[in-house]
Amino acid sequence: MTEIKIDSNTTNQYRNRELSWLQFNARVLQEAADTSVPLIERLRFLGIFSNNLDEFFKVRYATVKRIADAGKGGKSVLGGITAKDLLEEITQTVIHQQSTSLRILKSIKGELQKENIFVIDETEVSETQSQFISEYFIRKVSPALVTIMIGELEQFPSLKDSAAYLAVRMVMSKEDETFEEKNNYALIEIPKVIERFVVLPQEGDKQYIIILDDLIRYCLHNIFSIFKYSSISAHMIKITRDAELDIDSDLSRSFIDKISKSVKNRSVGDPVRFVYDKKIDRKTLKYLLDKMGVDETDSLIPGGRYHNRRDYMGFPSLGREDLLYEKITPLRIPDLKLQGSLFEMIAQKDFLLYAPYQTFSYVVKFLREAALDPKVRAIKITIYRLAQVSHIASSLINAAKNGKEVTVQIELQARFDEEANISYAEQMQSEGVQLIFGVSGLKVHCKACYIERIENEKLKRYVFVSTGNFNESTARLYTDYTLFTSNQKICKEINKVFDFFEVNYKIKKYKHLIVSPHYTRNALYHLIDTEIENKKNGNSSGIKLKLNSLSDFKIIDKLYQASRAGVEIKLIVRGICCLIPGVKGMSETIEVISIVDKFLEHPRLFIFENAGDTKIYISSADFMGRNLDSRVEISCPIYDEAIKKEILDTFEISWSDNVKARVISDKQDNAYRKNRKEKVRSQFKLYEYYQQKLNA
């Protein structure tokens, strides 16, 4: 196999996973820089970029750091780069991206001023605003503040993961004999219970916002009035901790209790990143680093004046609809009415929902109908991430109250949603819902619901299976397919998956579904091998995949093998892509694009040409080791010919994108795909496609 040069002076045929992810986040940053994106939306993309980075350090950077701390090189699992070198490269890449994000933020603020929107700091407060701020501080902020006088403590306090702090330095006056040291230090935790952006009274046509950090800076004299100091300064710091859960083995405690305790312990996990205002006084910085025990393997990121820029995701709209994306009204599915019985309609044929272009209300309506329908006997569902206020959960509780057998497989270890899932689990359990907490050693990531109904004294089964979570909130922002079917062969096999949750020492066999962890990897190998054989035999061949991530080296090798055989491969990969396309003798028939736009691209879709008898699967599984080998995932075949055509149409619309598609190449420069064809912005085109289907 041909080897090629990639980053970090390593010779390899894979892109490193972490560096590829940082390239994805750079695409998010491109959206913040794109002047064609509405102005407030650009700020929100900055927030998404920052939030992504926080999670990356908590999980991926922390994992690499553990490899480095263990004294291991890690080359075989890290794509040919040592853990130590990778940590350094990540830090340098992030410093560059953070610098870029600050320049973008400065530019956006300049554009906001042209729109008469001013984000001011504590030095720009007018007399009128001063009175409002003082009252606001006393009434709302002061009661919520936690201020720690660290200069007086023998032991430095444990800083909360990802909380933002103002590090305050007071240069004490000579007449103040309270302190031996000339400098006294304090930490102010920025309260999360108060909106980060405080909207000030409008003055004429001008709208003003002050960030909570600056409002606190303006009121420092109020907080520290009992001290005599000649000068006072406050600079932002933030620490990010390892988010790996450490679950104890105490057999006497329930699984909910164990996860709950582990989530609480996460707040004191090992530090992996320290971000600070680059204008902070050197003495203050050294004092903090020494006290916290931050060492050379932690990532030190000099940043701007403000941290936790993820809060820009919630930047206020200020009534300026012209500075936001135009809201779309999710459409109905042709022939599937929200009035009447969905069971009766789904009994006749399969239906496909593609959110957010079409309304997620069908999922909620189906569960509500099942909760009330006297013919429904049992409901089984997998839950990974629920909305904050979940109609899904309330429908399941309603069903249990109506005497249905309701079984919920809830994943308590859904990263960063553990607390919400624990809360819902306890609530459902108290209402009579039977809970299953998965399989030891496996996360349950599949998205499926199985319903049993008695019709004409016979058992009839219904399912819906999805590429995304059963979550009303994300269904407005994430693109995902959901199939509704009463195909009894598929329904019976979905029920087998639920049987596996309860009796997991018995491995089931499937003729239709592809199920992880036992079958997906080999099934994919077989499907790819079939395309290789078809190409060799002169039959039609081709592979089209839509994924969030592609990082499994063995699957990549198999795709390289198909490429060398001449199979044309089209990949739409939103995030991580460790495969390097377009390399002569290795991957020259493989093209990869990534689409980052208004909605988060989330479906997993597998299309195999299969000598003209196209095989199509929608799936919960990405092509990552964890999805193939250590999670429960479902890939569901599409048998309905009309739905097959619909899926192929939607893939082609996405593939034709030449506005928001970036070309993934060995250059890793996130170049926008440019051609002379008619402009296609796929997410907008898909909405038009479904409008036309509805009108037809």
Side-chain angles (χ1 to χ4, degrees):
M1 186 177 289
T2 304
E3 291 191 336
I4 63 169
K5 287 278 185 180
I6 64 168
D7 288 347
S8 311
N9 299 315
T10 62
T11 303
N12 216 291
Q13 58 209 21
Y14 314 111
R15 176 71 53 183
N16 170 264
R17 169 179 166 163
E18 284 68 34
L19 298 179
S20 179
W21 185 92
L22 289 173
Q23 287 301 317
F24 155 67
N25 213 28
R27 295 193 282 279
V28 175
L29 201 53
Q30 284 179 321
E31 290 300 291
D34 188 344
T35 55
S36 71
V37 174
L39 202 51
I40 291 177
E41 302 288 359
R42 289 173 63 192
L43 272 179
R44 292 175 179 175
F45 272 111
L46 271 180
I48 295 168
F49 164 81
S50 184
N51 185 65
N52 287 348
L53 209 52
D54 283 348
E55 293 190 2
F56 172 79
F57 271 91
K58 290 178 190 180
V59 181
R60 292 308 310 167
Y61 186 93
T63 299
V64 178
K65 187 175 184 292
R66 283 197 298 272
I67 294 171
D69 289 347
K72 297 177 181 178
K75 273 190 172 187
S76 61
V77 293
L78 296 175
I81 181 172
T82 66
K84 186 177 179 182
D85 288 344
L86 180 56
L87 291 176
E88 177 60 27
E89 186 152 354
I90 289 171
T91 298
Q92 293 308 312
T93 302
V94 170
I95 289 171
H96 172 72
Q97 289 184 350
Q98 291 279 42
S99 177
T100 302
S101 74
L102 290 172
R103 287 198 303 272
I104 294 168
L105 180 58
K106 184 178 180 181
S107 171
I108 292 173
K109 284 183 176 178
E111 293 297 314
L112 285 172
Q113 289 180 10
K114 294 176 185 176
E115 297 290 341
N116 274 335
I117 297 171
F118 298 87
V119 181
I120 63 171
D121 64 29
E122 76 278 12
T123 67
E124 302 168 290
V125 174
S126 70
E127 197 171 319
T128 308
Q129 292 164 342
S130 175
Q131 185 177 346
F132 174 89
I133 287 171
S134 296
E135 291 175 1
Y136 186 90
F137 179 80
I138 292 168
R139 182 169 42 90
K140 290 199 73 173
V141 181
S142 182
L145 281 186
V146 174
T147 305
I148 308 167
M149 301 303 299
I150 55 176
E152 302 173 40
L153 299 176
E154 289 185 16
Q155 187 172 356
F156 196 84
S158 178
L159 304 189
K160 291 180 183 177
D161 172 54
S162 290
Y165 294 87
L166 286 174
V168 179
R169 176 187 179 225
M170 289 179 280
V171 180
M172 308 311 293
S173 300
K174 289 181 180 178
E175 58 268 26
D176 190 330
E177 298 176 355
T178 311
F179 305 99
E180 295 179 13
E181 297 292 330
K182 186 179 179 183
N183 298 319
N184 194 19
Y185 298 98
L187 287 177
I188 302 174
E189 184 179 341
I190 305 296
K192 292 182 178 179
V193 293
I194 301 172
E195 291 293 335
R196 187 82 182 277
F197 301 99
V198 181
V199 180
L200 300 175
Q202 192 165 332
E203 296 180 8
D205 294 333
K206 295 181 178 180
Q207 294 174 293
Y208 293 91
I209 289 172
I210 188 168
I211 297 177
L212 182 59
D213 321 5
D214 291 331
L215 187 147
I216 294 170
R217 283 186 175 101
Y218 188 77
C219 298
L220 283 177
H221 60 282
N222 211 314
I223 302 169
F224 299 103
S225 59
I226 64 170
F227 300 105
K228 295 177 181 178
Y229 50 84
S230 57
S231 67
I232 188 168
S233 59
H235 295 84
M236 186 74 74
I237 63 168
K238 179 176 78 171
I239 198 161
T240 305
R241 297 184 181 278
D242 187 338
E244 187 67 26
L245 293 182
D246 184 16
I247 302 168
D248 70 42
S249 57
D250 184 352
L251 298 176
S252 68
R253 298 174 61 240
S254 74
F255 192 59
I256 291 181
D257 287 342
K258 291 178 185 179
I259 297 292
S260 183
K261 180 184 176 184
S262 188
V263 170
K264 289 174 184 174
N265 288 343
R266 175 185 280 162
S267 63
V268 293
D270 291 339
V272 292
R273 176 179 61 156
F274 181 72
V275 186
Y276 58 92
D277 184 342
K278 61 188 174 188
K279 293 185 178 178
I280 195 169
D281 177 82
R282 295 295 103 183
K283 289 181 180 178
T284 306
L285 179 61
K286 186 177 185 307
Y287 175 84
L288 292 170
L289 294 177
D290 289 346
K291 288 288 186 180
M292 288 189 293
V294 175
D295 62 40
E296 60 182 14
T297 62
D298 300 314
S299 187
L300 300 180
I301 309 288
R305 180 179 171 88
Y306 310 100
H307 306 327
N308 280 4
R309 287 196 296 278
R310 62 171 181 256
D311 292 338
Y312 278 106
M313 291 191 292
F315 191 84
S317 300
L318 300 169
R320 294 294 302 271
E321 297 295 322
D322 56 317
L323 302 182
L324 300 169
Y325 277 127
E326 184 180 347
K327 287 184 173 63
I328 65 166
T329 302
L331 303 168
R332 290 186 299 105
I333 299 172
D335 301 326
L336 190 61
K337 298 173 184 175
L338 283 166
Q339 298 78 33
S341 171
L342 290 182
F343 284 107
E344 291 178 8
M345 289 177 264
I346 294 166
Q348 301 304 312
K349 63 180 235 182
D350 293 355
F351 291 93
L352 185 74
L353 161 66
Y354 197 6
Y357 311 109
Q358 295 169 311
T359 178
F360 188 76
S361 299
Y362 288 103
V363 174
V364 177
K365 167 71 166 64
F366 201 26
L367 283 175
R368 281 183 175 160
E369 184 180 338
L372 302 179
D373 188 344
K375 294 180 181 179
V376 169
R377 188 176 74 177
I379 302 170
K380 301 178 183 181
I381 192 169
T382 60
I383 297 294
Y384 196 72
R385 298 185 198 277
L386 287 169
Q388 194 168 5
V389 178
S390 175
H391 299 302
I392 301 292
S394 61
S395 297
L396 295 169
I397 290 169
N398 192 181
K401 285 179 179 290
N402 282 330
K404 318 296 183 192
E405 292 178 23
V406 181
T407 303
V408 175
Q409 151 57 49
I410 188 162
E411 181 49 70
L412 294 185
Q413 296 182 75
R415 182 116 42 196
F416 305 122
D417 275 332
E418 296 97 345
E419 289 184 66
N421 283 6
I422 287 167
S423 175
Y424 271 117
E426 291 172 338
Q427 186 182 338
M428 287 190 283
Q429 198 168 43
S430 69
E431 297 286 1
V433 173
Q434 181 188 346
L435 296 184
I436 305 173
F437 299 118
V439 183
S440 179
L442 300 175
K443 269 192 182 181
V444 177
H445 189 249
C446 57
K447 285 81 177 169
C449 178
Y450 167 88
I451 299 173
E452 291 182 347
R453 192 171 187 255
I454 304 300
E455 299 178 9
N456 300 320
E457 299 183 355
K458 291 184 179 180
L459 180 65
K460 182 74 179 281
R461 301 170 179 86
Y462 296 82
V463 304
F464 54 89
V465 58
S466 185
T467 64
N469 300 308
F470 300 135
N471 184 314
E472 304 93 304
S473 298
T474 57
R476 294 192 291 268
L477 304 170
Y478 292 18
T479 65
D480 273 304
Y481 296 109
T482 301
L483 176 72
F484 297 89
T485 184
S486 62
N487 181 311
Q488 294 302 288
K489 293 175 181 177
I490 291 176
C491 292
K492 286 177 182 178
E493 292 199 352
I494 292 287
N495 193 35
K496 280 187 180 183
V497 177
F498 283 96
D499 288 344
F500 172 69
F501 295 147
E502 298 193 66
V503 187
N504 44 67
Y505 57 84
K506 288 185 179 179
I507 298 174
K508 308 291 182 179
K509 292 185 178 179
Y510 306 90
K511 290 183 179 178
H512 304 276
L513 302 180
I514 300 174
V515 179
S516 292
H518 302 115
Y519 300 108
T520 303
R521 181 179 291 281
N522 286 335
L524 290 171
Y525 290 165
H526 175 72
L527 287 163
I528 296 169
D529 281 337
T530 299
E531 297 308 311
I532 293 171
E533 286 302 309
N534 285 333
K535 183 66 180 178
K536 288 178 180 177
N537 295 332
N539 298 321
S540 58
S541 65
I543 300 170
K544 298 172 182 176
L545 304 171
K546 190 167 190 179
L547 303 164
N548 293 331
S549 299
L550 170 56
S551 65
D552 186 85
F553 295 162
K554 291 180 181 178
I555 289 287
I556 291 171
D557 286 343
K558 184 59 77 171
L559 291 170
Y560 286 159
Q561 184 185 343
S563 178
R564 288 195 299 274
V567 178
E568 185 180 85
I569 302 171
K570 295 178 178 179
L571 306 178
I572 304 175
V573 184
R574 186 195 78 219
I576 298 165
C577 183
C578 296
L579 178 149
I580 305 173
V583 177
K584 190 174 180 181
M586 183 177 81
S587 58
E588 55 195 299
T589 67
I590 304 177
E591 290 183 79
V592 187
I593 63 169
S594 175
I595 297 168
V596 179
D597 198 356
K598 177 181 179 179
F599 303 124
L600 182 85
E601 296 282 332
H602 197 249
R604 292 86 166 185
L605 175 63
F606 316 151
I607 303 170
F608 297 91
E609 181 62 26
N610 195 40
D613 183 18
T614 309
K615 288 190 174 183
I616 299 177
Y617 295 85
I618 61 170
S619 181
S620 59
D622 283 306
F623 285 7
M624 306 178 79
R626 67 187 189 191
N627 302 99
L628 305 177
D629 304 322
S630 58
R631 289 187 173 189
V632 180
E633 307 275 11
I634 294 173
S635 300
C636 179
I638 302 295
Y639 292 141
D640 183 282
E641 291 300 324
I643 293 178
K644 272 189 174 184
K645 182 182 183 307
E646 181 181 330
I647 287 178
L648 289 169
D649 287 346
T650 58
F651 182 91
E652 289 307 319
I653 290 170
S654 294
W655 185 257
S656 63
D657 194 306
N658 55 8
V659 176
K660 288 295 183 180
R662 282 73 156 181
V663 178
I664 305 301
S665 69
D666 59 337
K667 295 178 183 176
Q668 287 290 291
D669 57 0
N670 285 328
Y672 286 90
R673 176 197 263 171
K674 300 292 182 186
N675 55 42
R676 295 186 179 181
K677 296 179 182 178
E678 178 187 351
K679 293 291 183 188
V680 176
R681 188 170 179 178
S682 58
Q683 292 188 351
F684 289 37
K685 193 77 172 177
L686 282 164
Y687 187 67
E688 291 174 14
Y689 170 83
Y690 281 107
Q691 281 179 315
Q692 290 166 6
K693 281 182 74 72
L694 195 58
N695 293 335

mmCIF file of all heavy atoms in Angstrom, residues 604-627:
data_model
loop_
_atom_site.group_PDB
_atom_site.id
_atom_site.type_symbol
_atom_site.label_atom_id
_atom_site.label_comp_id
_atom_site.label_asym_id
_atom_site.label_seq_id
_atom_site.Cartn_x
_atom_site.Cartn_y
_atom_site.Cartn_z
ATOM 1 N N ARG A 604 -26.676 9.092 9.655
ATOM 2 C CA ARG A 604 -25.734 8.100 9.138
ATOM 3 C C ARG A 604 -26.490 7.302 8.078
ATOM 4 O O ARG A 604 -27.571 6.755 8.351
ATOM 5 C CB ARG A 604 -25.241 7.148 10.224
ATOM 6 C CG ARG A 604 -24.351 7.819 11.278
ATOM 7 C CD ARG A 604 -25.149 8.444 12.364
ATOM 8 N NE ARG A 604 -24.321 8.784 13.517
ATOM 9 C CZ ARG A 604 -24.813 9.270 14.649
ATOM 10 N NH1 ARG A 604 -26.119 9.481 14.783
ATOM 11 N NH2 ARG A 604 -24.022 9.557 15.662
ATOM 12 N N LEU A 605 -25.924 7.263 6.899
ATOM 13 C CA LEU A 605 -26.609 6.689 5.745
ATOM 14 C C LEU A 605 -25.611 5.879 4.928
ATOM 15 O O LEU A 605 -24.537 6.373 4.590
ATOM 16 C CB LEU A 605 -27.191 7.834 4.895
ATOM 17 C CG LEU A 605 -27.854 7.502 3.571
ATOM 18 C CD1 LEU A 605 -29.078 6.632 3.779
ATOM 19 C CD2 LEU A 605 -28.238 8.791 2.852
ATOM 20 N N PHE A 606 -25.953 4.620 4.632
ATOM 21 C CA PHE A 606 -25.075 3.745 3.852
ATOM 22 C C PHE A 606 -25.802 3.345 2.573
ATOM 23 O O PHE A 606 -26.912 2.810 2.633
ATOM 24 C CB PHE A 606 -24.721 2.460 4.621
ATOM 25 C CG PHE A 606 -24.363 2.643 6.074
ATOM 26 C CD1 PHE A 606 -24.599 1.625 6.986
ATOM 27 C CD2 PHE A 606 -23.780 3.824 6.546
ATOM 28 C CE1 PHE A 606 -24.278 1.764 8.333
ATOM 29 C CE2 PHE A 606 -23.446 3.978 7.883
ATOM 30 C CZ PHE A 606 -23.705 2.946 8.778
ATOM 31 N N ILE A 607 -25.177 3.588 1.424
ATOM 32 C CA ILE A 607 -25.766 3.237 0.129
ATOM 33 C C ILE A 607 -24.753 2.398 -0.654
ATOM 34 O O ILE A 607 -23.623 2.844 -0.900
ATOM 35 C CB ILE A 607 -26.137 4.496 -0.678
ATOM 36 C CG1 ILE A 607 -27.108 5.392 0.118
ATOM 37 C CG2 ILE A 607 -26.753 4.119 -2.032
ATOM 38 C CD1 ILE A 607 -27.335 6.765 -0.499
ATOM 39 N N PHE A 608 -25.168 1.202 -1.039
ATOM 40 C CA PHE A 608 -24.314 0.314 -1.824
ATOM 41 C C PHE A 608 -25.026 -0.010 -3.137
ATOM 42 O O PHE A 608 -26.178 -0.466 -3.128
ATOM 43 C CB PHE A 608 -24.011 -0.968 -1.043
ATOM 44 C CG PHE A 608 -23.233 -0.716 0.228
ATOM 45 C CD1 PHE A 608 -23.893 -0.484 1.434
ATOM 46 C CD2 PHE A 608 -21.847 -0.669 0.216
ATOM 47 C CE1 PHE A 608 -23.180 -0.229 2.601
ATOM 48 C CE2 PHE A 608 -21.126 -0.426 1.369
ATOM 49 C CZ PHE A 608 -21.785 -0.197 2.567
ATOM 50 N N GLU A 609 -24.348 0.205 -4.259
ATOM 51 C CA GLU A 609 -24.962 0.059 -5.580
ATOM 52 C C GLU A 609 -25.452 -1.372 -5.832
ATOM 53 O O GLU A 609 -26.501 -1.590 -6.428
ATOM 54 C CB GLU A 609 -23.944 0.475 -6.658
ATOM 55 C CG GLU A 609 -24.454 0.396 -8.072
ATOM 56 C CD GLU A 609 -25.639 1.310 -8.349
ATOM 57 O OE1 GLU A 609 -25.775 2.342 -7.646
ATOM 58 O OE2 GLU A 609 -26.437 0.990 -9.251
ATOM 59 N N ASN A 610 -24.653 -2.374 -5.424
ATOM 60 C CA ASN A 610 -25.085 -3.773 -5.426
ATOM 61 C C ASN A 610 -25.597 -4.243 -6.793
ATOM 62 O O ASN A 610 -26.651 -4.857 -6.907
ATOM 63 C CB ASN A 610 -26.169 -3.984 -4.354
ATOM 64 C CG ASN A 610 -26.409 -5.452 -4.050
ATOM 65 O OD1 ASN A 610 -25.478 -6.235 -3.993
ATOM 66 N ND2 ASN A 610 -27.673 -5.809 -3.875
ATOM 67 N N ALA A 611 -24.824 -3.940 -7.843
ATOM 68 C CA ALA A 611 -25.140 -4.406 -9.215
ATOM 69 C C ALA A 611 -26.543 -4.003 -9.657
ATOM 70 O O ALA A 611 -27.236 -4.752 -10.353
ATOM 71 C CB ALA A 611 -24.958 -5.922 -9.307
ATOM 72 N N GLY A 612 -26.960 -2.801 -9.248
ATOM 73 C CA GLY A 612 -28.257 -2.289 -9.691
ATOM 74 C C GLY A 612 -29.386 -2.521 -8.717
ATOM 75 O O GLY A 612 -30.439 -1.879 -8.810
ATOM 76 N N ASP A 613 -29.211 -3.419 -7.753
ATOM 77 C CA ASP A 613 -30.231 -3.671 -6.724
ATOM 78 C C ASP A 613 -29.785 -2.964 -5.444
ATOM 79 O O ASP A 613 -29.300 -3.590 -4.496
ATOM 80 C CB ASP A 613 -30.382 -5.180 -6.494
ATOM 81 C CG ASP A 613 -31.482 -5.508 -5.490
ATOM 82 O OD1 ASP A 613 -32.329 -4.624 -5.236
ATOM 83 O OD2 ASP A 613 -31.481 -6.638 -4.963
ATOM 84 N N THR A 614 -29.935 -1.657 -5.462
ATOM 85 C CA THR A 614 -29.323 -0.805 -4.434
ATOM 86 C C THR A 614 -29.739 -1.189 -3.017
ATOM 87 O O THR A 614 -30.921 -1.382 -2.733
ATOM 88 C CB THR A 614 -29.685 0.677 -4.686
ATOM 89 O OG1 THR A 614 -29.385 0.996 -6.038
ATOM 90 C CG2 THR A 614 -28.907 1.596 -3.757
ATOM 91 N N LYS A 615 -28.740 -1.297 -2.138
ATOM 92 C CA LYS A 615 -28.999 -1.530 -0.717
ATOM 93 C C LYS A 615 -28.803 -0.221 0.035
ATOM 94 O O LYS A 615 -27.768 0.445 -0.128
ATOM 95 C CB LYS A 615 -28.057 -2.594 -0.160
ATOM 96 C CG LYS A 615 -28.379 -4.002 -0.639
ATOM 97 C CD LYS A 615 -27.559 -5.038 0.129
ATOM 98 C CE LYS A 615 -27.993 -6.454 -0.257
ATOM 99 N NZ LYS A 615 -27.272 -7.478 0.528
ATOM 100 N N ILE A 616 -29.778 0.134 0.847
ATOM 101 C CA ILE A 616 -29.724 1.383 1.616
ATOM 102 C C ILE A 616 -30.029 1.085 3.082
ATOM 103 O O ILE A 616 -30.982 0.366 3.393
ATOM 104 C CB ILE A 616 -30.731 2.419 1.074
ATOM 105 C CG1 ILE A 616 -30.407 2.782 -0.382
ATOM 106 C CG2 ILE A 616 -30.735 3.679 1.946
ATOM 107 C CD1 ILE A 616 -31.404 3.741 -1.020
ATOM 108 N N TYR A 617 -29.224 1.664 3.965
ATOM 109 C CA TYR A 617 -29.445 1.545 5.405
ATOM 110 C C TYR A 617 -29.401 2.931 6.037
ATOM 111 O O TYR A 617 -28.539 3.747 5.681
ATOM 112 C CB TYR A 617 -28.353 0.691 6.068
ATOM 113 C CG TYR A 617 -28.321 -0.748 5.636
ATOM 114 C CD1 TYR A 617 -27.627 -1.130 4.487
ATOM 115 C CD2 TYR A 617 -28.963 -1.735 6.374
ATOM 116 C CE1 TYR A 617 -27.582 -2.458 4.081
ATOM 117 C CE2 TYR A 617 -28.921 -3.076 5.976
ATOM 118 C CZ TYR A 617 -28.233 -3.424 4.832
ATOM 119 O OH TYR A 617 -28.194 -4.739 4.440
ATOM 120 N N ILE A 618 -30.321 3.194 6.964
ATOM 121 C CA ILE A 618 -30.151 4.338 7.867
ATOM 122 C C ILE A 618 -29.628 3.773 9.182
ATOM 123 O O ILE A 618 -29.982 2.660 9.572
ATOM 124 C CB ILE A 618 -31.448 5.147 8.069
ATOM 125 C CG1 ILE A 618 -32.564 4.287 8.689
ATOM 126 C CG2 ILE A 618 -31.900 5.768 6.757
ATOM 127 C CD1 ILE A 618 -33.789 5.090 9.127
ATOM 128 N N SER A 619 -28.791 4.542 9.876
ATOM 129 C CA SER A 619 -28.074 3.954 11.009
ATOM 130 C C SER A 619 -27.825 4.955 12.122
ATOM 131 O O SER A 619 -27.798 6.174 11.896
ATOM 132 C CB SER A 619 -26.736 3.389 10.515
ATOM 133 O OG SER A 619 -26.016 2.789 11.570
ATOM 134 N N SER A 620 -27.616 4.415 13.310
ATOM 135 C CA SER A 620 -27.156 5.229 14.445
ATOM 136 C C SER A 620 -25.640 5.187 14.563
ATOM 137 O O SER A 620 -25.063 5.880 15.396
ATOM 138 C CB SER A 620 -27.781 4.709 15.742
ATOM 139 O OG SER A 620 -27.423 3.343 15.955
ATOM 140 N N ALA A 621 -24.983 4.384 13.714
ATOM 141 C CA ALA A 621 -23.555 4.102 13.887
ATOM 142 C C ALA A 621 -22.676 4.891 12.932
ATOM 143 O O ALA A 621 -22.908 4.895 11.720
ATOM 144 C CB ALA A 621 -23.295 2.615 13.687
ATOM 145 N N ASP A 622 -21.677 5.559 13.479
ATOM 146 C CA ASP A 622 -20.602 6.109 12.663
ATOM 147 C C ASP A 622 -19.564 5.021 12.435
ATOM 148 O O ASP A 622 -19.600 3.951 13.066
ATOM 149 C CB ASP A 622 -19.971 7.309 13.363
ATOM 150 C CG ASP A 622 -20.840 8.555 13.236
ATOM 151 O OD1 ASP A 622 -21.187 8.913 12.102
ATOM 152 O OD2 ASP A 622 -21.186 9.141 14.274
ATOM 153 N N PHE A 623 -18.614 5.301 11.547
ATOM 154 C CA PHE A 623 -17.541 4.340 11.288
ATOM 155 C C PHE A 623 -16.376 4.627 12.237
ATOM 156 O O PHE A 623 -15.302 5.060 11.848
ATOM 157 C CB PHE A 623 -17.091 4.407 9.831
ATOM 158 C CG PHE A 623 -18.053 3.778 8.854
ATOM 159 C CD1 PHE A 623 -19.293 3.326 9.262
ATOM 160 C CD2 PHE A 623 -17.718 3.643 7.519
ATOM 161 C CE1 PHE A 623 -20.190 2.747 8.374
ATOM 162 C CE2 PHE A 623 -18.595 3.062 6.610
ATOM 163 C CZ PHE A 623 -19.836 2.609 7.037
ATOM 164 N N MET A 624 -16.647 4.411 13.520
ATOM 165 C CA MET A 624 -15.653 4.566 14.572
ATOM 166 C C MET A 624 -15.585 3.248 15.335
ATOM 167 O O MET A 624 -16.587 2.515 15.415
ATOM 168 C CB MET A 624 -16.028 5.702 15.531
ATOM 169 C CG MET A 624 -16.296 7.038 14.850
ATOM 170 S SD MET A 624 -16.784 8.324 16.018
ATOM 171 C CE MET A 624 -15.197 8.780 16.705
ATOM 172 N N GLY A 625 -14.419 2.960 15.907
ATOM 173 C CA GLY A 625 -14.262 1.714 16.635
ATOM 174 C C GLY A 625 -15.324 1.515 17.689
ATOM 175 O O GLY A 625 -15.869 0.420 17.855
ATOM 176 N N ARG A 626 -15.669 2.573 18.413
ATOM 177 C CA ARG A 626 -16.629 2.446 19.509
ATOM 178 C C ARG A 626 -18.013 2.062 18.983
ATOM 179 O O ARG A 626 -18.745 1.299 19.613
ATOM 180 C CB ARG A 626 -16.705 3.745 20.309
ATOM 181 C CG ARG A 626 -17.303 4.915 19.548
ATOM 182 C CD ARG A 626 -17.199 6.205 20.321
ATOM 183 N NE ARG A 626 -17.960 7.278 19.681
ATOM 184 C CZ ARG A 626 -17.874 8.557 20.017
ATOM 185 N NH1 ARG A 626 -17.051 8.925 20.977
ATOM 186 N NH2 ARG A 626 -18.595 9.473 19.406
ATOM 187 N N ASN A 627 -18.420 2.599 17.824
ATOM 188 C CA ASN A 627 -19.738 2.298 17.275
ATOM 189 C C ASN A 627 -19.818 0.883 16.721
ATOM 190 O O ASN A 627 -20.881 0.267 16.705
ATOM 191 C CB ASN A 627 -20.096 3.284 16.160
ATOM 192 C CG ASN A 627 -20.084 4.727 16.625
ATOM 193 O OD1 ASN A 627 -19.124 5.444 16.413
ATOM 194 N ND2 ASN A 627 -21.158 5.150 17.277
#
